[in-house]
Amino acid sequence: EIVLTQSPGTLSLSPGERATLSCRASQSVGSRYLAWYQQKPGQAPRLLIYGASSRVTGLPDRFSGRGSGTDFTLTISRLEPEDFAVYYCQLYGGSFTFGGGTKVEIK
Amino acid sequence: EVQLVQSGAEVKKPGESLKISCKGSGYSFSNYWIGWVRQMPGKGLEWMGIIYPGDSDTRYSPSFQGQVAISADKSISTAYLQWISLKASDTAMYYCASPGAPAVMDAFDIWGQGTMVTVSS
């Protein structure tokens, strides 16, 4: 079973700064089946990115995803106040494993 | 509007059984995979399993195989997550979720609001 490891566990940044979140797979997963979600307290997760780099409709372009094989990255170019949340990567397409999450908190 | 509406919060005792539900509307429920995700208090997301209501094809995460049962009744556009004998460690928020495209195991584009299950003596 493929394991997804996210780092760092917590990212302390200020609004306007750049956030770089990592998701590493224990074996190659290609690029097609990797997604990123955002979850705010008390809310269900929200899909942001699928296929490693495709943004869902309406997602601001400050969010970008890239990667293939075993290493994937979610970048938020300039943090807005509403971006402080927990972010999860997920493998899908047969198994739907989630990473452990990265909390982006206000510094 | 496409949505998944889950049943309400539950408080149960260890050893009791439970079945929670997730009703889809605004789309062809039978043709979309629907999954279940656990989130224990203060913890991350864990995929439990997924079902295709059209033919009840069901896949389980190895971590949850034998611990829960997933089913669906396509006639009423509802998926279920069931326990025979609850444990305190089953205390969690449970989400149902579905891909945004039919007949593919895609990323979860649509989420229910969650059902909180509390198991305590």
Side-chain angles (χ1 to χ4, degrees):
Chain A
E1 187 178 351
I2 297 174
V3 175
L4 298 179
T5 302
Q6 291 188 242
S7 62
T10 302
L11 205 47
S12 298
L13 295 167
S14 300
E17 290 194 295
R18 181 184 188 89
T20 303
L21 288 66
S22 173
C23 175
R24 177 163 290 178
S26 58
Q27 58 186 277
S28 179
V29 301
S31 65
R32 184 177 173 188
Y33 301 111
L34 196 286
W36 290 92
Y37 297 83
Q38 177 193 68
Q39 187 180 32
K40 296 180 180 179
Q43 296 184 17
R46 167 196 174 198
L47 178 65
L48 303 176
I49 301 283
Y50 60 95
S53 61
S54 297
R55 281 189 296 272
V56 298
T57 302
L59 185 69
D61 61 7
R62 64 180 182 272
F63 290 89
S64 63
R66 61 177 296 172
S68 64
T70 59
D71 291 306
F72 299 87
T73 302
L74 174 69
T75 301
I76 310 170
S77 59
R78 293 172 309 280
L79 283 164
E80 296 287 341
E82 62 267 27
D83 299 336
F84 291 91
V86 181
Y87 293 83
Y88 296 94
C89 59
Q90 182 204 34
L91 179 67
Y92 59 91
S95 172
F96 288 80
T97 306
F98 287 94
T102 291
K103 181 179 182 180
V104 179
E105 66 174 23
I106 299 176
K107 187 175 181 179
Chain B
E1 180 192 4
V2 175
Q3 61 178 349
L4 296 171
V5 178
Q6 297 185 231
S7 49
E10 301 274 1
V11 179
K12 294 292 209 179
K13 290 181 167 39
E16 292 186 330
S17 63
L18 177 64
K19 193 174 190 178
I20 62 175
S21 66
C22 170
K23 183 174 177 61
S25 62
Y27 70 105
S28 180
F29 181 82
S30 294
N31 297 333
Y32 287 70
W33 288 89
I34 186 161
W36 287 95
V37 176
R38 183 176 79 174
Q39 188 166 39
M40 299 176 76
K43 302 298 184 183
L45 305 173
E46 300 173 272
W47 172 64
M48 303 176 73
I50 194 165
I51 188 166
Y52 188 73
D55 61 6
S56 293
D57 184 5
T58 307
R59 319 286 175 86
Y60 291 94
S61 162
S63 299
F64 291 92
Q65 179 82 48
Q67 308 304 309
V68 296
I70 294 170
S71 60
D73 184 344
K74 61 185 179 182
S75 70
I76 55 171
S77 300
T78 301
Y80 301 97
L81 179 64
Q82 183 174 13
W83 295 260
I84 300 301
S85 179
L86 286 159
K87 301 184 285 287
S89 57
D90 293 317
T91 294
M93 180 71 82
Y94 293 89
Y95 293 101
C96 62
S98 186
V104 292
M105 289 189 183
D106 218 342
F108 293 147
D109 201 14
I110 307 160
W111 290 73
Q113 83 278 18
T115 295
M116 184 67 207
V117 174
T118 303
V119 184
S120 173
S121 54

